[in-house]
Amino acid sequence: MLNIHQLSIAFQGEDLFRNISFRLQSGNRVGLIGKNGAGKSTLLKIIAGELEYSAGQISLEKKELKIGFLKQDIDFVYGRTVLEESYEAFSEIKTLERRLEGINTQLVERTDYESESYSDLMVELNEVQHQYEILGGYNYQGDTEKILIGLGFKREDFTKLTDTFSGGWRMRIELAKLLLQQNDILLLDEPTNHLDIESIIWLEQFLKHYPGAVVIVSHDKMFLDHVTNRTIELVLGQIYDMPKPYTQYLKLRAEQKALQLAAQKNQQKHIEHTEKLIEKFRAKASKATMAQSLIKKLDKIERIQVDEDDTSVMSVRFPISISPGKVVLEAKNISKSYGDLEVLNGVDLMIERGQKVAFVGQNGQGKSTLAKILVGELQSLGEVRLGHNVHLGYFAQNQAEYLDGSKTVLTTMIDAANDTNRTKVRDILGAFLFRGEAVDKQVSVLSGGERNRLALAKLLLKPLNVLVMDEPTNHLDIQSKTVLKTALQNFEGTLILVSHDREFLQGLNDVVYEFKDQTIKPYLGDIDFYLEQRQIQNLREAERRTVQKTVKQATTSKLSYEAQKKLKSLHNRLSKVESSISDLEKTIKAIDFELEINYEETVSKPNFFENYQSKKTKLEALMSQWESLTESIEQHN
């Protein structure tokens, strides 16, 4: 389908990657991984034809190969509706529509029906209509509506402006366009950024059955494992390519490197032994010929090389400015609407010193909105009060909107610094892997991960004791994500974290606020406690249930205190019954095994059949009790 041979690209005389080769075929679902700045997004741009390369060759197996490219940051034209933006997928059809409109206008206005030019116009109309039909011009509007509805949009959303939607919903529009285009190759750069779990699950299913080739840059390990069947890693300008999903690839790479190290060690022992013999034989004239022979053999040995790894990681530590008062932040009766869309309604929130809080829930439920309200980025109804000596630090979800692309990395930091820390700017940048000439890069050419690292570095230039972070792992590579998590675990201040990532949240919070139906509900525990209370395994299932749930008139949160006590008692009884059923089933299974092994000896035991039957009867009674308790719990819900 597409061949890449000896591809190289350099910036300012320095190679980003050199002489890389691989082939894409139909059915390939490639996870393109590597550290921030390794060249992943650059490689996608080259394949998409948006960037020139320095050397090498890209060959297509067919002339009209269609490539769709989903970029990290989507640029929407303001003023278009959802449908109008989706129709941009059909550029050829829209061009033909304009031609048809022009021809029909001329036919209405003209009266020279017998002229040759009028006849030529009729011929052109017929040709354009035929081409329009072949391209699906009479079906594309219906197909677009079907895809949008499949992605979660409602018909009343079709006429709304795209700029009224969150980043996750805009990403869905872009995905709809790519799906409607029926591309041969899909290039997806961080497709799960800003997506809620529902849309991630949909995207996984879509990509699993995609007939063409897919190349995905992502930091989401679970997403890569669910979707990909091949991994290409960019490391220090070279690639490693294996037909395995992410986790299996890592295991194979580790095994491969261990074998290389063992082989290199054995070879080195052999070389050292040979060198000793050479030195020994050189001293004797009778053995000089043998020494020369050994030298020649040693020269012919091809030294075993161990694959290089880029082990550099950023260094992050968020120091506390001063200790604030006990209540660091209080919000009362917060309500926020965007036009007719109500996002928050009468929300109350109080955050105390040292708390680590997680905001979870579907996109569009108000997590980022409340975060912006708390830090003063967004106006709302209600009241927000900061506590005594509170110094807020805010990490926004989309850093592209908060960094000036015309500035360099160094200028960005110097402008944000003050007299006391301006001399430390280069040290801070170095800790975030901006070293040497990298500090002179313009922000506009930075990758998404590099922009996030720069934004994190800026946070260290101002005193803070409360951190509000909205999806801080977007665009970060997996190593950087791990470093950031460690830094937040060691942070002694107050943390408010918006995230969809269970793995990242584990060990980071002691309170979870679930956003749903314009309100928030607290769970006084960590993310695992929240999932346990929801009786689910992960945040994906939480949001999927939110989407798929049938509307109930009464929920647990609205039950009376007595009803909640009753429900808790039923759950406790159910747990005990389930435990008894499990123990009894194991006992009966063990007896059945004894019967198979030695029937006569087993049945000869006193009162064997009575005891055996009583256990089975008891099991039946417990199963009936379990069904009864389950029904009672469902009725209380």
Side-chain angles (χ1 to χ4, degrees):
M1 183 175 282
L2 182 143
N3 289 304
I4 290 177
H5 181 66
Q6 298 290 296
L7 193 70
S8 301
I9 188 169
F11 293 103
Q12 297 177 343
E14 186 176 338
D15 287 326
L16 184 59
F17 47 78
R18 184 174 181 80
N19 297 334
I20 65 172
S21 301
F22 62 91
R23 184 183 181 193
L24 288 180
Q25 296 176 295
S26 293
N28 282 167
R29 297 190 299 276
V30 180
L32 181 59
I33 65 172
K35 301 190 71 172
N36 292 144
K40 304 184 296 296
S41 297
T42 299
L43 182 55
L44 293 190
K45 289 175 183 176
I46 290 173
I47 296 173
E50 293 192 359
L51 192 64
E52 291 292 328
Y53 45 94
S54 307
Q57 188 177 13
I58 297 179
S59 58
L60 310 179
E61 291 182 1
K62 66 177 185 178
K63 192 174 182 180
E64 299 299 323
L65 194 74
K66 293 176 67 177
I67 299 176
F69 184 21
L70 182 72
K71 303 175 187 178
Q72 284 186 15
D73 300 309
I74 302 172
D75 295 322
F76 275 91
V77 175
Y78 286 90
R80 283 181 186 159
T81 65
V82 170
L83 270 183
E84 287 169 345
E85 182 63 44
S86 300
Y87 290 158
E88 290 297 306
F90 306 98
S91 55
E92 289 183 79
I93 290 176
K94 299 299 287 182
T95 300
L96 290 175
E97 278 186 343
R98 288 190 289 271
R99 282 182 64 187
L100 285 172
E101 186 179 348
I103 293 170
N104 285 318
T105 300
Q106 290 185 59
L107 291 174
V108 169
E109 293 175 350
R110 293 176 60 163
T111 57
D112 55 334
Y113 308 121
E114 304 300 326
S115 68
E116 186 177 343
S117 61
Y118 193 91
S119 177
D120 290 342
L121 206 58
M122 292 296 293
V123 171
E124 185 184 1
L125 176 65
N126 185 56
E127 289 176 351
V128 174
Q129 282 180 331
H130 181 63
Q131 192 177 358
Y132 185 75
E133 184 177 0
I134 289 174
L135 290 175
Y138 297 109
N139 302 319
Y140 80 93
Q141 292 180 341
D143 290 342
T144 301
E145 292 184 11
K146 287 178 186 176
I147 294 297
L148 288 173
I149 290 172
L151 286 171
F153 287 94
K154 299 174 183 176
R155 290 195 177 274
E156 53 265 34
D157 294 330
F158 292 171
T159 54
K160 293 178 181 177
L161 296 177
T162 57
D163 40 280
T164 63
F165 287 87
S166 67
W169 287 98
R170 292 189 193 183
M171 185 72 79
R172 293 190 210 194
I173 298 171
E174 195 69 12
L175 285 169
K177 287 159 64 177
L178 290 177
L179 176 57
L180 290 162
Q181 287 170 347
Q182 298 180 334
N183 295 289
D184 298 298
I185 298 176
L186 270 183
L187 308 174
L188 307 177
D189 198 354
E190 301 283 10
T192 60
N193 281 356
H194 315 304
L195 287 186
D196 58 26
I197 303 303
E198 177 200 2
S199 47
I200 290 175
I201 292 168
W202 175 87
L203 182 58
E204 286 179 350
Q205 294 306 311
F206 162 56
L207 294 176
K208 281 179 185 178
H209 301 99
Y210 194 73
V214 186
V215 183
I216 305 164
V217 174
S218 178
H219 67 268
D220 188 330
K221 293 185 281 188
M222 186 183 294
F223 181 75
L224 289 172
D225 279 337
H226 285 182
V227 172
T228 62
N229 55 19
R230 178 181 174 188
T231 299
I232 296 177
E233 183 178 15
L234 269 168
V235 182
L236 299 173
Q238 301 299 314
I239 65 166
Y240 300 97
D241 185 355
M242 294 184 190
K244 297 290 181 183
Y246 177 77
T247 301
Q248 292 180 39
Y249 165 82
L250 289 184
K251 185 179 178 183
L252 280 175
R253 276 276 285 130
E255 291 173 356
Q256 187 182 70
K257 191 169 180 182
L259 289 173
Q260 287 176 340
L261 284 167
Q264 187 188 57
K265 188 175 181 180
N266 289 333
Q267 186 187 63
Q268 190 59 36
K269 284 182 180 178
H270 173 68
I271 290 170
E272 288 173 0
H273 177 68
T274 305
E275 287 174 340
K276 286 179 181 177
L277 287 176
I278 291 169
E279 289 300 316
K280 182 179 178 181
F281 292 158
R282 269 178 176 165
K284 299 178 181 180
S286 60
K287 300 288 181 75
T289 304
M290 187 177 292
Q292 289 300 317
S293 175
L294 288 173
I295 289 171
K296 288 179 182 178
K297 285 183 179 180
L298 201 60
D299 290 339
K300 289 179 182 179
I301 292 176
E302 186 176 343
R303 298 312 198 257
I304 294 171
Q305 299 295 322
V306 178
D307 294 338
E308 278 191 276
D309 286 325
D310 187 352
T311 56
S312 59
V313 292
M314 64 179 185
S315 174
V316 188
R317 180 176 172 271
F318 297 105
I320 273 204
S321 54
I322 55 175
S323 182
K326 183 179 180 183
V327 176
V328 297
L329 189 148
E330 191 171 9
K332 290 186 177 180
N333 201 29
I334 300 296
S335 297
K336 179 64 180 177
S337 298
Y338 296 96
D340 295 331
L341 178 64
E342 186 177 44
V343 179
L344 300 171
N345 183 8
V347 168
D348 294 330
L349 176 70
M350 186 175 73
I351 308 292
E352 295 185 354
R353 180 183 59 235
Q355 278 191 321
K356 304 289 175 69
V357 177
F359 287 177
V360 302
Q362 258 191 296
N363 269 7
Q365 293 291 329
K367 303 185 302 296
S368 296
T369 296
L370 184 56
K372 288 179 180 178
I373 291 169
L374 296 180
V375 300
E377 289 278 326
L378 200 59
Q379 297 298 311
S380 69
L381 297 176
E383 182 184 8
V384 175
R385 288 187 299 187
L386 297 183
H388 180 62
N389 283 338
V390 166
H391 296 154
L392 274 174
Y394 175 51
F395 183 94
Q397 184 176 132
N398 188 357
Q399 288 304 319
E401 296 177 5
Y402 289 83
L403 296 171
D404 187 343
S406 65
K407 293 182 179 180
T408 66
V409 171
L410 183 58
T411 305
T412 299
M413 288 290 285
I414 289 174
D415 290 350
N418 54 43
D419 293 337
T420 60
N421 58 26
R422 193 164 285 118
T423 57
K424 300 178 182 177
V425 161
R426 285 187 178 270
D427 291 337
I428 295 172
L429 284 174
F432 284 82
L433 305 182
F434 292 106
R435 296 162 186 158
E437 294 179 357
V439 300
D440 297 320
K441 281 185 179 180
Q442 278 198 314
V443 171
S444 58
V445 303
L446 297 180
S447 69
E450 288 171 324
R451 283 201 300 268
N452 272 26
R453 293 209 311 266
L454 180 57
L456 287 169
K458 276 185 67 179
L459 276 178
L460 302 188
L461 293 174
K462 58 181 293 187
L464 56 87
N465 46 32
V466 178
L467 259 177
V468 180
M469 308 193 84
D470 191 356
E471 298 289 1
T473 59
N474 281 353
H475 306 297
L476 285 184
D477 59 51
I478 292 166
Q479 296 97 320
S480 298
K481 201 166 94 167
T482 303
V483 172
L484 176 60
K485 179 173 179 176
T486 302
L488 293 177
Q489 286 173 325
N490 295 330
F491 178 54
E492 296 177 358
T494 306
L495 177 66
I496 299 174
L497 189 60
V498 180
S499 180
H500 292 286
D501 190 334
R502 176 192 180 181
E503 182 187 40
F504 185 71
L505 289 173
Q506 281 180 318
L508 273 183
N509 65 287
D510 45 40
V511 182
V512 175
Y513 283 93
E514 182 183 44
F515 284 63
K516 187 167 63 174
D517 301 328
Q518 296 88 48
T519 60
I520 62 174
K521 180 179 178 181
Y523 290 80
L524 302 180
D526 60 12
I527 194 66
D528 291 326
F529 173 79
Y530 161 72
L531 294 171
E532 181 185 323
Q533 292 300 299
R534 290 290 307 272
Q535 296 183 334
I536 48 181
Q537 297 299 311
N538 54 52
L539 290 172
R540 295 178 173 221
E541 192 176 346
E543 297 194 10
R544 183 161 38 185
R545 285 192 184 184
T546 300
V547 174
Q548 296 177 345
K549 72 180 180 67
T550 55
V551 179
K552 297 180 180 181
Q553 294 300 315
T555 63
T556 304
S557 60
K558 295 181 181 178
L559 295 175
S560 67
Y561 178 73
E562 290 300 322
Q564 289 191 50
K565 282 181 64 178
K566 175 70 174 176
L567 186 60
K568 187 175 180 180
S569 173
L570 287 169
H571 275 295
N572 290 338
R573 289 170 58 192
L574 181 66
S575 179
K576 289 178 182 178
V577 169
E578 287 175 341
S579 178
S580 299
I581 288 172
S582 178
D583 292 342
L584 202 52
E585 283 178 335
K586 288 178 183 176
T587 302
I588 292 172
K589 188 175 181 180
I591 296 172
D592 289 339
F593 180 73
E594 287 180 14
L595 285 170
E596 289 180 15
I597 299 300
N598 195 334
Y599 178 82
E600 290 185 3
E601 184 178 334
T602 303
V603 299
S604 64
K605 294 177 182 178
N607 302 318
F608 169 77
F609 285 108
E610 290 84 350
N611 292 332
Y612 183 51
Q613 188 57 46
S614 69
K615 286 179 173 59
K616 287 197 167 186
T617 303
K618 186 178 180 180
L619 180 61
E620 289 176 6
L622 285 169
M623 291 300 293
S624 298
Q625 194 176 348
W626 182 87
E627 290 177 7
S628 177
L629 286 167
T630 303
E631 287 177 6
S632 298
I633 289 170
E634 288 177 355
Q635 289 171 4
H636 277 75
N637 280 331

